[in-house]
Each structure stands twice: as C-alpha cells, then as structure tokens.
Amino acid sequence: MTLLKYLALNALELGSPASGLPLKFSSNETSGWLQLSGHPDSFAIAGPGTIWKKTTLEDGEIRVYEALQQQKNDPAYCIVPKFYRKVEFKSELFIELEDLLSDFNDPFVMDIKMGTRTFLESEVSRTNARPDLYQKMVRVDSNAPTQEEHKAQAVTKLRYMRFREQQSSTSTLGFRIEAMKMKGCEPVRDLQKVCSQRDVQAVLSLFLQGKEQNKQSLLKRLKKIRTAFEESNFFKYNEVVGSSLLLVRENAKVGAWLIDFAKARSSDIPLDHRSPWCDGNHEEGFLFGLDTLIETVDQCDLKVLQTSRLEKIVRSLPWK
C-alpha cells in the first residue's frame, strides 16, 4: 500500500489537535484517501484492515494501547481501536492500529473533541507571555486581550487556550465538533466555532440525515461507550485530555470509538471525569461532555436540518 494522499482541515490551534484519522473517498472521477483534520503525514496504510499512526515514546498513545491490550477484561477495551504492534520505519516510530473505516465505503464521518480541558496540567506552569499567541488572539477577537495584554502585546499559553476553548462549545458543553465529512462531499470546515447547543444539534442532524433509526443507533453506541468508560479501572486512573470520539455512519450502519491518547496521563488519584478542573485534580470533563453529547443527540429535532447560523455551510456542501 502507498502512503496516504492527505487533505487536512485547518484545525484550531488549541492544546490538542484534531484526530486526523485518514478517510477513504470515492466518486465518479477519482478515489483515494484524505485526512479529515489534524497534522498531515501522520498516517500510512499498513495492510488490509490496519493503519500506521506516527507517534513518539513521550506521548501517551503507546502506553494506553499497550495497557488495554494487556487488560482485555477491562470494559474500555471494546471502545478503542485494536492495537497490534509498535513499528520502527526509517527512524520513525509508528503504532499499528485497527482501521476503523475498513468496513465502510464512503461514510459520513464526524470528529468530536471531548472534555472541558484540552491542555495538560503541566502547561499551567508555563507563565511566559508569548507575542505569537497574542497575535493569534487578536486575529480572532481584537477586544479579547486585557489592557495589560494589549500593552505587553503578549499572552500566556494557558490564557490563549482558555480563550480558544471559549470560542467553541468545549467550555459549555464539554465537547466540540472538529470536522465532518458527508457522503460524496468534501470535509466541512470551521465547525470548531459552532458553540450553541442548538447549532450543534443542527450539525448532528445533518450527520444523522434526519432519520430516527440512525439517531437511536448512535445513542445506543454512545451509551455503551459511557458505561464502558465508567466501569473501566484503567480510565479511573487516567486522564484523557484531547481525546476524540470518532463517529461513522453509512446508511443504517453506525459506529463510534474513542481515539487519540497522545495527551493521556496516569493519575495517582481516582477520577470521575465529570468534576470541574482545578490544578492538581487531573479532571478533564470527558464524561461530563459525553453526558451532554448524549443529551444533545437525544434532543435533536431531525426535521430541522439547518439554522440561520449554518445556512451558508449547508448551502456550500457539494450535494450529489
């Protein structure tokens, strides 16, 4: 198999990038692979049913997958991609994982970044103010910096990440939609700024294509993920900062998995994943966000597929 052809969305520059899972596409003119979001050059097709994902010894991916591989009785084992091995290739380290899209042809795919905190606690101690982050902030909202920050023309990374979280539904709903690809369409951009629950429901309704059967199938899977996560002894002692839920649907077939563990860190105290974060408690709000996501999906009005906020996005989709 050849390396992927990448087509990355411009993800928000937050503490955690979008997942970047590669997607297969096909049309009358062409077929191949694209990357929904995240860092390009991170994936390669390994073989039938598997992919290689670039990693390092420092991030949390290897530790999480190896631990769950050794604890197959842990309920969380069934909600993440299967892990096969570590691979060194041309002086780079990869992990070989189950290709979650191998049983789909041209599906609807959605990447949802979970949790109320998208940065590591270790980043809190970085108090140096950075001019580049100030420039990024004012490009989004010139009134956002304080008088002191305007004077210094610099902000800390924590301040910037908190600001960017407030631009999405992360701070209110405990999750944000990063990107979405619909059947026969290019990936939809700029969904990270969809903030209100009503607008989030509109995007989810597009993903579900207004069908009650799709909605109930997704709810069933999300509730299974929640139960498995709550009962997992492994995740009881691990924070999952910046992890995503990958939602996949083709016709009535619906799948959802927990992915992305680069920022997962072990904790010496048990976590409930719902409590508000304060420095040192390691809470990231994953289950708070999953509770809200399940509630949001359950309340979706499938007859309303757009709002005034999303009309431009909807009209721009290259519908077949």
Side-chain angles (χ1 to χ4, degrees):
M1 303 294 286
T2 60
L3 291 178
L4 301 181
K5 297 177 181 179
Y6 291 98
L7 178 61
L9 291 181
N10 296 320
L12 285 179
E13 297 188 32
L14 291 160
S16 302
S19 66
L21 195 76
L23 308 178
K24 184 166 62 175
F25 70 90
S26 60
S27 68
N28 292 332
E29 292 87 17
T30 185
S31 64
W33 295 84
L34 59 82
Q35 188 172 332
L36 183 61
S37 52
H39 298 306
D41 302 324
S42 296
F43 287 90
I45 303 304
T50 67
I51 60 172
W52 284 5
K53 182 179 182 182
K54 189 181 296 185
T55 187
T56 67
L57 292 174
E58 290 73 31
D59 72 25
E61 295 268 22
I62 295 176
R63 183 184 64 83
V64 170
Y65 283 119
E66 287 187 332
L68 288 176
Q69 181 71 19
Q70 296 169 5
Q71 303 174 37
K72 293 184 179 180
N73 290 330
D74 190 294
Y77 177 76
C78 67
I79 63 173
V80 303
K82 289 185 177 66
F83 168 77
Y84 294 100
R85 59 174 178 152
K86 292 181 291 188
V87 181
E88 289 189 26
F89 181 72
K90 292 186 177 180
S91 301
E92 292 188 304
L93 183 62
F94 295 82
I95 52 176
E96 186 169 349
L97 299 172
E98 173 189 10
D99 180 1
L100 299 174
L101 304 180
S102 62
D103 292 332
F104 298 88
N105 181 35
D106 186 14
F108 290 66
V109 183
M110 181 176 287
D111 178 0
I112 301 180
K113 189 68 66 180
M114 300 299 297
T116 55
R117 173 169 62 92
T118 62
F119 55 88
L120 294 171
E121 290 191 346
S122 60
E123 295 175 287
V124 175
S125 60
R126 301 177 187 177
T127 58
N128 57 305
R130 292 170 47 179
D132 61 321
L133 297 182
Y134 169 82
Q135 293 299 328
K136 291 177 181 178
M137 180 182 286
V138 296
R139 280 199 295 269
V140 176
D141 184 355
S142 60
N143 296 318
T146 64
Q147 289 184 351
E148 293 77 11
E149 289 167 343
H150 275 306
K151 185 176 181 180
Q153 294 195 345
V155 297
T156 65
K157 187 172 183 180
L158 176 60
R159 167 79 168 99
Y160 174 74
M161 288 189 294
R162 282 299 203 191
F163 162 74
R164 293 309 294 262
E165 286 174 345
Q166 292 168 359
Q167 306 304 304
S168 71
S169 58
T170 290
S171 60
T172 55
L173 301 181
F175 69 88
R176 67 173 183 262
I177 300 175
E178 287 283 334
M180 178 173 69
K181 181 190 177 299
M182 303 179 71
K183 182 178 181 179
C185 302
E186 295 293 324
V188 180
R189 305 173 187 272
D190 299 327
L191 293 179
Q192 303 96 334
K193 293 185 180 181
V194 175
C195 293
S196 73
Q197 191 169 32
R198 180 184 177 187
D199 288 349
V200 169
Q201 286 175 332
V203 178
L204 288 168
S205 294
L206 284 172
F207 176 82
L208 297 171
Q209 285 293 282
K211 295 184 178 180
E212 185 66 25
Q213 180 182 358
N214 296 339
K215 173 179 169 179
Q216 294 305 320
S217 296
L218 178 57
L219 284 172
K220 182 179 179 179
R221 179 60 180 172
L222 292 177
K223 290 176 181 178
K224 181 177 181 179
I225 291 174
R226 179 170 63 183
T227 299
F229 196 96
E230 288 174 328
E231 295 177 353
S232 170
N233 188 67
F234 177 79
F235 283 120
K236 185 176 182 180
Y237 291 93
N238 280 270
E239 57 180 293
V240 285
V241 174
S243 293
S244 288
L245 286 179
L246 181 76
L247 311 185
V248 186
R249 184 187 69 77
E250 189 167 40
N251 301 319
K253 184 178 180 180
V254 177
W257 295 269
L258 177 58
I259 61 173
D260 294 342
F261 302 107
K263 289 199 170 188
R265 298 292 184 270
S266 61
S267 169
D268 55 359
I269 57 176
L271 307 176
D272 62 35
H273 302 280
R274 289 186 172 95
S275 297
W277 172 74
C278 63
D279 192 13
N281 76 352
H282 299 286
E283 296 289 353
E284 83 296 88
F286 175 86
L287 282 175
F288 169 81
L290 185 51
D291 291 339
T292 308
L293 176 59
I294 290 171
E295 176 186 343
T296 302
V297 172
D298 191 38
Q299 295 177 356
C300 274
D301 182 355
L302 299 180
K303 296 180 181 179
V304 180
L305 292 182
Q306 62 191 64
T307 68
S308 57
R309 169 93 180 260
L310 296 174
E311 283 179 0
K312 184 177 181 180
I313 294 175
V314 174
R315 286 199 308 268
S316 69
L317 291 173
W319 299 99
K320 280 189 173 182

